[in-house]
Amino acid sequence: NIYGKYVAEGANLNDIELKVNGTAYTDSIYEVNFHAAYTSLSPYYVQNRIRSNHYLYNNDWDKEGHSVINVSASRKSKNLKATVSVGQNILSNYIYYNTNSQPKQDIFNPISISNIGLGLNFKLGNFRFNNQFNYQTINNNEFIHLPEIVSSHQLYFQRYAFKDALKFQMGLELFFNSANNSDMYNPALRQFYLQEDIETGNYPLVNFFLNAQIKTMKIYLQVEHLNQGLSGNRYYGTVHQPIIPRRLVLGVGWNLFY
């Protein structure tokens, strides 16, 4: 698949978006996929100009460039699917908000972000164990702060009943990222900006879920942040922004056609 977009007039004149996705090889066991993209986009209006009680600036930033390439290879069998992926992101003319909440543009140092991913999905009878691990590095963390490790995991029981009319799932899911100096939110600008003093992350978030599908009806129940208070009390998604407290979520969906 190939997608392209070019802006021929207006405030975003000469903006470009190009995307290519495809499967390089596939058979009953192996599959190799690739994704590549390039964008050259004008800054958002609020990055160039703002006038308020607290901030006043008038900039004329260059277009931001973003190049990405990702390749993944997977192998599947009856009870296991393993996927390995590698990716590279290059950012040029990157616009960020510094520690004083002022927008800045780095025109001299392209930012390179490399990532490696590993997916392992197991089946054992009616049990499923899905895992996704990601490791990423950045050549210059002066302007972007990212966790090195991000992972998600699901362990659940799944079963069909009543001649496959009922699909039932019950289990736990866990999300984790390593500690990093996450950005701080500025409500006056409605933007996140860099900070160097406080680390967040390094906290496991555990949810319990129960799903049932009866023909066209879907019912789900989820206890979010099941482990609140069990793994410490410093559960922040970003600085001064705590993760949601423990809560019960119920939902029903109904498709009109079977």
Side-chain angles (χ1 to χ4, degrees), residues 159-162 164-169 210-220 253-255 257-258:
R159 186 172 181 179
Y160 291 86
F162 304 111
D164 295 338
L166 170 65
K167 180 182 179 181
F168 172 82
Q169 293 179 334
L210 188 154
N211 303 320
Q213 179 175 347
I214 308 172
K215 292 188 176 180
T216 61
M217 177 180 287
K218 297 179 181 179
I219 303 171
Y220 66 89
W254 200 327
N255 296 326
F257 302 96
Y258 181 63

Side-chain angles (χ1 to χ4, degrees), residues 104-145:
K104 299 292 181 181
Q105 185 170 52
D106 177 30
I107 62 175
F108 301 107
N109 302 296
I111 298 172
S112 175
I113 303 171
S114 305
N115 62 79
I116 300 174
L118 174 63
L120 293 172
N121 297 338
F122 301 92
K123 290 196 303 182
L124 182 60
N126 290 321
F127 288 92
R128 306 290 187 271
F129 188 30
N130 299 335
N131 303 272
Q132 181 64 46
F133 306 89
N134 290 282
Y135 175 76
Q136 56 191 3
T137 61
I138 184 169
N139 69 330
N140 186 347
N141 62 4
E142 182 179 353
F143 310 118
I144 299 180
H145 296 160

Side-chain angles (χ1 to χ4, degrees), residues 150-205:
V150 179
S151 69
S152 62
H153 313 270
Q154 281 189 329
L155 175 62
Y156 61 95
F157 176 85
Q158 175 176 294
R159 186 172 181 179
Y160 291 86
F162 304 111
K163 297 182 179 180
D164 295 338
L166 170 65
K167 180 182 179 181
F168 172 82
Q169 293 179 334
M170 180 177 65
L172 298 170
E173 56 185 6
L174 182 148
F175 303 94
F176 175 85
N177 64 264
S178 57
N180 72 109
N181 293 106
S182 58
D183 293 346
M184 188 177 291
Y185 184 68
N186 185 326
L189 293 174
R190 298 183 181 181
Q191 301 291 332
F192 286 90
Y193 66 96
L194 295 172
Q195 62 84 30
E196 306 289 347
D197 301 320
I198 303 174
E199 284 192 341
T200 60
N202 204 27
Y203 178 85
L205 174 66

Side-chain angles (χ1 to χ4, degrees), residues 28-29 75-82 121-125 127-128:
S28 59
I29 299 177
R75 184 187 189 279
K76 57 185 178 182
S77 61
K78 181 179 179 180
N79 296 314
L80 171 65
K81 181 178 180 180
N121 297 338
F122 301 92
K123 290 196 303 182
L124 182 60
F127 288 92
R128 306 290 187 271

Side-chain angles (χ1 to χ4, degrees), residues 222-233:
Q222 181 163 290
V223 180
E224 297 181 342
H225 202 172
L226 180 68
N227 61 314
Q228 178 184 350
L230 301 178
S231 305
N233 294 315

